[in-house]
Amino acid sequence: MPSACTGNSGVRPALILIDLQRDYLDRPGLVPGERELLGAIAALLEGCRGAGVPVFHAVTLVRADGANRMPHWKEAGTWACREGTPGALAPAAVTPGEGEPVFAKDFYSAFDSPGLEAALAAGAVDTLILAGIYTHACVRATALDAYRRGYRVLIATDAIGSTDAEHARLTLSWLEGRASHGVPTA
């Protein structure tokens, strides 16, 4: 099995980093822990950049007035990833690099981000490598949407995290062989 950023010739991969933002990383119960997770993602990011694999960042971005918060956030009074706040930013180790587009989304899937599909099409991408948080929500929704659109989907299993470890385990088990394949970042 190829690693996340290398593979068969003729394959046109891209890396999508999902919701690597302070407000998500700071939530209690993140598994693996932030240090381990960011180390794995930073290594994956460096490998993909070095191999010339295009990198895209998909982030949740809530407007200052909160009008675009997800309905369950509104009901619970949750404020996270608010535009212009430190909580909406990525840590230094995974900050978008020069020429790496950032796509804002309101809901779970990176495909809810205007412009992502056009950017992938412009690069003739056929394979997506997914990493980030949360496995049980945004990573899963992105994997399913990518699969539905005809992409080969690889999930970098050591570069994803969740605050619901059991749900994440079940998610990966269900996705494997149906909509995606797990691969190591090494």
Side-chain angles (χ1 to χ4, degrees):
M1 176 69 65
S3 70
C5 284
T6 62
N8 304 325
S9 61
V11 173
R12 300 206 30 109
L15 173 63
I16 298 180
L17 297 178
I18 304 165
D19 286 335
L20 295 176
Q21 298 164 268
R22 280 273 42 109
D23 281 343
Y24 287 138
L25 289 162
D26 289 345
R27 287 188 177 165
L30 183 63
V31 176
E34 179 180 337
R35 185 176 184 182
E36 182 181 348
L37 179 62
L38 288 180
I41 293 170
L44 174 62
L45 182 56
E46 181 181 331
C48 286
R49 286 172 174 163
V53 172
V55 177
F56 301 92
H57 302 260
V59 299
T60 300
L61 199 57
V62 171
R63 291 191 302 264
D65 66 4
N68 67 325
R69 286 183 299 163
M70 290 184 279
H72 72 283
W73 281 14
K74 289 178 183 177
E75 290 173 14
T78 301
W79 286 90
C81 304
R82 197 175 197 175
E83 191 173 32
T85 68
L89 300 176
V94 294
T95 296
E98 181 80 27
E100 294 174 357
V102 178
F103 296 95
K105 61 188 184 67
D106 295 342
F107 287 90
Y108 297 105
S109 176
F111 285 91
D112 292 335
S113 305
L116 176 61
E117 287 187 80
L120 294 171
V125 170
D126 62 8
T127 302
L128 299 179
I129 305 160
L130 306 181
I133 52 181
Y134 293 119
T135 307
H136 67 278
C138 299
V139 172
R140 175 180 65 193
T142 301
L144 290 172
D145 281 352
Y147 173 72
R148 183 173 63 87
R149 287 166 170 80
Y151 292 98
R152 178 172 183 238
V153 181
L154 305 176
I155 297 177
T157 54
D158 50 347
I160 52 175
S162 180
T163 54
D164 188 337
E166 181 63 10
H167 195 172
R169 184 188 67 73
L170 291 170
T171 293
L172 288 177
S173 177
W174 187 86
L175 287 172
E176 182 65 36
R178 284 184 177 90
S180 68
H181 295 283
V183 294
T185 60

